[in-house]
Amino acid sequence: MKNTILILLCALSLNGFCQTKNKPSFETITIGGGCYWCVEAVYENLNGVKSVVSGFSGGKIADPTYEEVCTGTTGHAEVVQVTYDKNITDINEIFKVFFTVHDPTTLNRQGADVGTQYRSVIFYKNEEQKKAAQSIIAELNKAKVYDSPIVTKVEAFTKFYKAEDYHQNYYANNKNQPYCKMVIQPKIEKFEKVFKTKLKKK
């Protein structure tokens, strides 16, 4: 009798009961690919991503301001902290997007944005992330996907500092700004074209 009730509850998905198989399993990765406004805007549209927070990692001082990081003297990189559901997307897909929407071969710059704060970097939090990062870099270099070798650093995560509130969801809140139109929008369009089956439903 008990087994019959359990089967019925599972079949009806009563209040989400028996859905442990689909229970969200969240993980976070911290990555830098130039201006965080650009990277944030892309990942906000990837299916499976729960949140994207712009901030700073890899520097020498605590709680840096945007102005301090912009001097290039604090050692921080502009990064985004991406939290995603491993049941919907995975670390390999996160990295595929990363290497599609920025140039990982230019040292300490992305286009007109120049400085160590714009460096290409992956801050891994566990061995799975570290190995996945090293593996995709090796594969891309071997396949000569880019004209020059990848300079993306793979470093252990230490600390993340959230950027000021006006930097969060910057593209969504400032779509008419020239930088958003000329720099961010083309990256989003490229992402949507390459990962069109992986987009969040609007």
Side-chain angles (χ1 to χ4, degrees), residues 26-44:
F26 294 116
E27 183 167 277
T28 301
I29 182 70
T30 303
I31 49 181
C35 174
Y36 47 32
W37 298 339
C38 300
V39 185
E40 178 196 67
V42 168
Y43 281 106
E44 288 284 7

Side-chain angles (χ1 to χ4, degrees), residues 99 102-107 109 120 136-152:
F99 286 105
H102 89 293
D103 184 350
T105 69
T106 52
L107 186 64
R109 75 175 299 161
S120 179
I136 192 169
I137 290 172
E139 289 174 9
L140 291 171
N141 277 329
K142 184 178 180 181
K144 298 186 185 301
V145 172
Y146 306 99
D147 293 333
S148 302
I150 291 173
V151 297
T152 305

Side-chain angles (χ1 to χ4, degrees), residues 1 4 18 30 57 75-76 85 144 151 157 162 179 187 197:
M1 183 65 174
T4 302
C18 297
T30 303
S57 284
H76 293 88
D85 185 349
K144 298 186 185 301
V151 297
F157 174 82
K162 183 180 178 181
Y179 186 90
K187 289 179 181 287
T197 62

Side-chain angles (χ1 to χ4, degrees), residues 4 7 24 32 77 85 90 113 135 143 173 177 180 188 192 198:
T4 302
I7 291 170
D85 185 349
D90 59 26
D113 295 324
S135 177
N173 295 327
Q177 292 287 342
C180 292
I188 294 175
E192 291 178 340
K198 304 293 184 178

Side-chain angles (χ1 to χ4, degrees), residues 83-145:
T83 300
Y84 59 97
D85 185 349
K86 295 173 70 174
N87 291 325
I88 301 174
T89 186
D90 59 26
I91 194 62
N92 291 311
E93 188 164 85
I94 295 292
F95 288 154
K96 286 176 183 177
V97 172
F98 178 67
F99 286 105
T100 298
V101 299
H102 89 293
D103 184 350
T105 69
T106 52
L107 186 64
N108 299 328
R109 75 175 299 161
Q110 283 296 302
D113 295 324
V114 181
T116 56
Q117 67 270 33
Y118 300 115
R119 65 188 182 271
S120 179
V121 61
I122 295 170
F123 292 103
Y124 63 86
K125 293 182 173 65
N126 53 51
E127 281 300 306
E128 179 190 8
Q129 291 182 351
K130 179 182 179 181
K131 290 179 180 177
Q134 292 174 331
S135 177
I136 192 169
I137 290 172
E139 289 174 9
L140 291 171
N141 277 329
K142 184 178 180 181
K144 298 186 185 301
V145 172

Side-chain angles (χ1 to χ4, degrees), residues 26 43-44 46-52 82-85 200:
F26 294 116
Y43 281 106
E44 288 284 7
L46 180 63
N47 192 30
V49 168
K50 178 187 179 186
S51 67
V52 189
V82 182
T83 300
Y84 59 97
D85 185 349
K200 286 181 178 176

Side-chain angles (χ1 to χ4, degrees), residues 40 54 162-170 173:
E40 178 196 67
S54 291
K162 183 180 178 181
E164 294 87 343
D165 287 345
Y166 73 92
H167 290 290
Q168 310 303 325
N169 300 307
Y170 188 86
N173 295 327

